[in-house]
């Protein structure tokens, strides 16, 4: 999947961090992973690739439960609206 400037600008607004660059990290069975860099922080954008499943939604809620334990990255956004990216995605800390 190609992440363009328009999508990065909209994601920047949602994150409240200006994203300077985006690079492909790798793909798994259920998602594609991209590194998002801002001046202050790095994030991982995970875009769902599985059809008729919702593993990122489950992952989002699991990460939220673990948020204060330092066992998992902080999760920032889960978006299933398909308004910015035409698939479900989540953004977590790097």
């Amino acid at each position: 999947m190609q992440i363009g400037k328009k999508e990065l600008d909209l994601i920047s607004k949602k994150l409240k961090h200006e994203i300077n660059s985006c690079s492909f990290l790798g793909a798994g069975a259920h998602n594609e992973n991209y590194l998002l860099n801002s001046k202050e922080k790095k994030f991982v954008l995970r875009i769902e690739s599985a059809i008729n499943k919702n593993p990122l939604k489950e992952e989002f809620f699991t990460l939220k439960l673990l948020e204060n334990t330092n066992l998992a990255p902080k999760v920032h956004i889960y978006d299933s609206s398909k308004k910015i990216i035409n698939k479900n995605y989540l953004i977590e800390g790097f």
Side-chain angles (χ1 to χ4, degrees):
M1 167 163 239
Q2 183 74 9
I3 308 298
K5 182 172 175 13
K6 178 183 173 185
E7 290 85 7
L8 288 178
D9 287 346
L10 292 169
I11 288 170
S12 291
K13 287 180 184 177
K14 278 190 102 149
L15 270 176
K16 298 181 179 141
H17 287 277
E18 184 178 345
I19 302 303
N20 301 321
S21 66
C22 173
S23 56
F24 181 71
L25 288 173
H30 300 286
N31 56 61
E32 295 178 359
N33 302 293
Y34 296 85
L35 178 63
L36 304 177
N37 289 298
S38 76
K39 287 182 182 178
E40 304 87 17
K41 293 183 177 185
K42 293 182 179 186
F43 303 92
V44 176
L45 167 64
R46 300 172 57 111
I47 302 173
E48 207 164 75
S49 59
I51 299 172
N52 297 326
K53 294 187 179 190
N54 211 349
L56 285 182
K57 185 175 184 180
E58 294 169 10
E59 184 174 340
F60 173 79
F61 288 114
T62 301
L63 290 173
K64 276 300 205 185
L65 289 172
L66 296 171
E67 197 164 71
N68 295 320
T69 65
N70 292 325
L71 295 173
K74 181 177 179 178
V75 65
H76 296 277
I77 296 170
Y78 172 74
D79 187 354
S80 60
S81 71
K82 298 179 179 57
K83 291 180 180 178
I84 296 175
I85 296 174
N86 65 353
K87 296 181 178 183
N88 299 342
Y89 70 91
L90 80 83
I91 298 175
E92 60 189 31
F94 178 72

